[in-house]
Amino acid sequence: TRAERLYLMQDFPELVEESGGALGLKVFRLSLRLLSRFVTVSSYAKQLILGENPSAKVTIAHPGVDHNVFRPRQEIVDAREKKKVMVILRGSKYKGDEVAIRVLNEVSRKIPLHAILVGSKELVNKYSRTIGFEFSYSLFSGVDDETLARLYSSADAFLHTSYAEGFGSPPLEAMACGTPVVMTDSKGSRDYAVDGYNALVSQPGDVKSLAENLLRVLQDDKLRERLVENGLETARRFTWDSTAEKFEEALREG
């Protein structure tokens, strides 16, 4: 008998529309209807597939975390008496960069703040012109995973403001590094992020709520300790070995 093909699906409408426009989004949705077997990265992505193709067979293989790399590390950023907040800047509209900058500005009006920014100098210059920074910052560009893990560990909090993600690994990496997370409900992250348990979660674009949550994490030691402990426990459940097992399971079922 002829084996059925197995397709990996990691995309989501916001990403597809940004790169391919309305036509790309139409083709994306059509492709989900034409295929029958999928491996995907989250419950949200599975719902996208089944919404277009209710009879499809879908296996979820969550991305893992390399725990040899992403673990609590020695800090490499010293901001003296200021609280340190890490943000990864991507440049895509759905990533919510501008929301993150506005949240940092809001919080910096209340407490001394230093941002650990990971991204390009061009992006930082753009946001400096269009929004303005009311906080000090250190910029890191082109970092490898080892450096990224040390930057997570340097931060008093990690701020993630995406409107949507297929899964969204950075908050989980931050948890694995022992860093408390303030983030948006980016849909794909629902498979690991639990508001009040291992992260503080706001609605996408809600600068006021994100700023309030960030302040809580930076000022409430007991809350911070709880988020760190539960975040570490959560991250331990996501391994690449488990991801490989799920792929093998899907292949065997074919």
Side-chain angles (χ1 to χ4, degrees):
T1 60
R2 184 179 176 182
E4 287 185 88
R5 292 181 178 178
L6 182 66
Y7 293 86
L8 173 63
M9 202 288 278
Q10 304 179 83
D11 293 337
F12 48 95
E14 290 84 353
L15 172 62
V16 174
E17 189 168 27
E18 183 172 271
S19 59
L23 178 60
L25 191 57
K26 185 176 181 180
V27 171
F28 168 64
R29 287 177 171 150
L30 179 61
S31 71
L32 298 183
R33 296 172 201 159
L34 294 176
L35 308 174
S36 59
R37 296 182 63 239
F38 297 84
V39 172
T40 194
V41 294
S42 66
S43 300
Y44 165 58
K46 180 177 180 177
Q47 290 167 5
L48 288 175
I49 296 168
L50 295 178
E52 299 291 339
N53 186 352
S55 64
K57 189 169 186 178
V58 185
T59 299
I60 298 173
H62 294 119
V65 174
D66 185 348
H67 294 280
N68 292 319
V69 175
F70 294 103
R71 53 185 171 80
R73 301 292 197 97
Q74 182 179 0
E75 298 180 7
I76 60 173
V77 177
D78 181 8
R80 307 208 176 190
E81 300 302 316
K82 294 183 178 181
K83 295 293 186 179
K84 294 170 288 184
V85 180
M86 180 174 165
V87 173
I88 299 175
L89 301 174
R90 303 286 194 179
S92 298
K93 184 177 180 181
Y94 74 87
K95 291 290 188 180
D97 289 358
E98 295 189 7
V99 173
I101 300 300
R102 296 185 193 284
V103 170
L104 293 174
N105 281 341
E106 183 71 23
V107 173
S108 71
R109 294 174 194 141
K110 297 178 172 62
I111 62 172
L113 189 71
H114 184 85
I116 300 170
L117 303 179
V118 177
S120 71
K121 186 176 181 180
E122 291 75 19
L123 263 182
V124 169
N125 288 340
K126 171 189 171 183
Y127 296 137
S128 180
R129 291 192 308 270
T130 58
I131 304 174
F133 295 163
E134 300 178 26
F135 49 86
S136 62
Y137 66 88
S138 301
L139 174 62
F140 297 83
S141 302
V143 300
D144 58 18
D145 283 351
E146 290 282 338
T147 305
L148 192 61
R150 293 183 69 190
L151 292 174
Y152 284 130
S153 295
S154 292
D156 295 299
F158 177 67
L159 177 64
H160 191 255
T161 53
S162 286
Y163 285 88
E165 296 284 350
F167 180 73
S169 292
L172 194 59
E173 293 170 350
M175 291 179 191
C177 292
T179 304
V181 173
V182 174
M183 63 185 293
T184 47
D185 175 11
S186 56
K187 303 177 211 180
S189 60
R190 293 171 186 169
D191 284 3
Y192 65 84
V194 180
D195 183 37
Y197 175 73
N198 56 19
L200 295 186
V201 184
S202 301
Q203 289 305 301
D206 191 339
V207 172
K208 183 175 183 292
S209 174
L210 285 160
E212 289 173 351
N213 281 340
L214 185 54
L215 272 170
R216 286 176 62 201
V217 167
L218 295 176
Q219 296 180 316
D220 187 334
D221 290 340
K222 288 186 178 179
L223 171 63
R224 172 186 167 82
E225 289 170 7
R226 185 172 75 248
L227 295 179
V228 168
E229 180 181 353
N230 293 335
L232 286 167
E233 187 275 329
T234 298
R236 281 193 286 269
R237 301 200 305 266
F238 291 82
T239 67
W240 286 114
D241 285 343
S242 176
T243 307
E245 288 172 6
K246 287 295 183 180
F247 265 92
E248 290 172 359
E249 175 186 315
L251 290 168
R252 285 195 301 269
E253 291 176 354

